[in-house]
Amino acid sequence: MNFTVGFLVFPGLQLLDLAGPYEMFAALSDCEIHLFWKTREPVACSTGMRFYPTTTLDEGLPVDVLCISGGAGINALLLDQEVQAWVQRQAMTAQFVTSVCTGTLLLGAAGLLTGRRATTHWRYHDLLAELGAIPVRRLVIGQFSAEISVKIVHPRPDQYSGISYSSSASWGANFRDIVR
């Protein structure tokens, strides 16, 4: 099974939110990974480490799995119509639309969580309702539900949104197993 994973990288991205899931997917031999941003110029994460986007938003490359990481830089994207439109376009064809931590807020700002269960970093949890989501604080995978550090909720029956800062690698491993 060959599949393509796309991560949105942006100024102020939280490194761990990207690195955990990225490492899990990069370990698969049949997975192609793209780092998306507006340009291919280096993008600095919240601690200054630089990422080099491999694909621009305008290139229109569809992905099977879309992952939106969180971080302080997500705030600017909540008002960025270009990025929100790109997220909406990707969501129309992706098999899975995912997020880590505050990346969920961008999914909400793009209108993808209206009436759907979602969760995010505890400090920003109350914003979910303002973005049309039904805030939850539990892991939801199919029929199973439990309170653990990795939270995966269904924006659509065939899509997942994973939320965790401290255990993004665990989230990545769990989600990778769901995709496989």
Side-chain angles (χ1 to χ4, degrees):
M1 169 186 169
N2 292 325
F3 61 99
T4 304
V5 177
F7 291 94
L8 179 67
V9 295
F10 52 90
L13 165 83
Q14 182 68 42
L15 176 60
L16 186 59
D17 289 2
L18 173 68
Y22 184 98
E23 285 291 322
M24 295 304 110
F25 284 110
L28 302 175
S29 62
D30 58 351
C31 180
E32 180 181 340
I33 299 176
H34 293 273
L35 301 178
F36 287 89
W37 185 233
K38 295 178 180 184
T39 70
R40 290 185 189 231
E41 297 298 314
V43 175
C45 75
S46 60
T47 58
M49 179 180 260
R50 298 195 180 277
F51 296 95
Y52 291 84
T54 59
T55 312
T56 67
L57 304 182
D58 292 335
E59 290 180 51
L61 175 72
V63 298
D64 299 306
V65 178
L66 174 64
C67 184
I68 309 296
S69 300
I74 204 74
N75 294 340
L77 303 184
L78 300 181
L79 301 174
D80 190 319
Q81 297 297 322
E82 177 186 3
V83 171
Q84 290 177 29
W86 177 81
V87 170
Q88 292 167 343
R89 286 191 307 275
Q90 286 289 348
M92 291 175 63
T93 59
Q95 291 177 341
F96 298 95
V97 174
T98 69
S99 61
V100 178
C101 202
T102 56
T104 304
L105 300 176
L106 179 56
L107 296 180
L112 300 178
L113 298 180
T114 303
R116 303 191 188 286
R117 294 178 296 163
T119 193
T120 191
H121 186 285
W122 62 269
R123 188 175 291 155
Y124 305 100
H125 196 262
D126 292 342
L127 296 176
L128 291 171
E130 294 176 34
L131 296 170
I134 301 167
V136 297
R137 296 183 190 269
R138 300 180 64 81
L139 166 69
V140 181
I141 303 175
Q143 300 174 33
F144 303 100
S145 181
E147 290 186 44
I148 62 173
S149 60
V150 177
K151 301 169 183 76
I152 301 175
V153 297
H154 296 253
R156 291 193 339 207
D158 60 340
Q159 295 183 348
Y160 297 82
S161 182
I163 317 306
S164 174
Y165 168 77
S166 62
S167 57
S168 63
S170 296
W171 173 89
N174 284 310
F175 188 76
R176 178 196 62 199
D177 293 342
I178 290 169
V179 171
R180 307 269 317 158

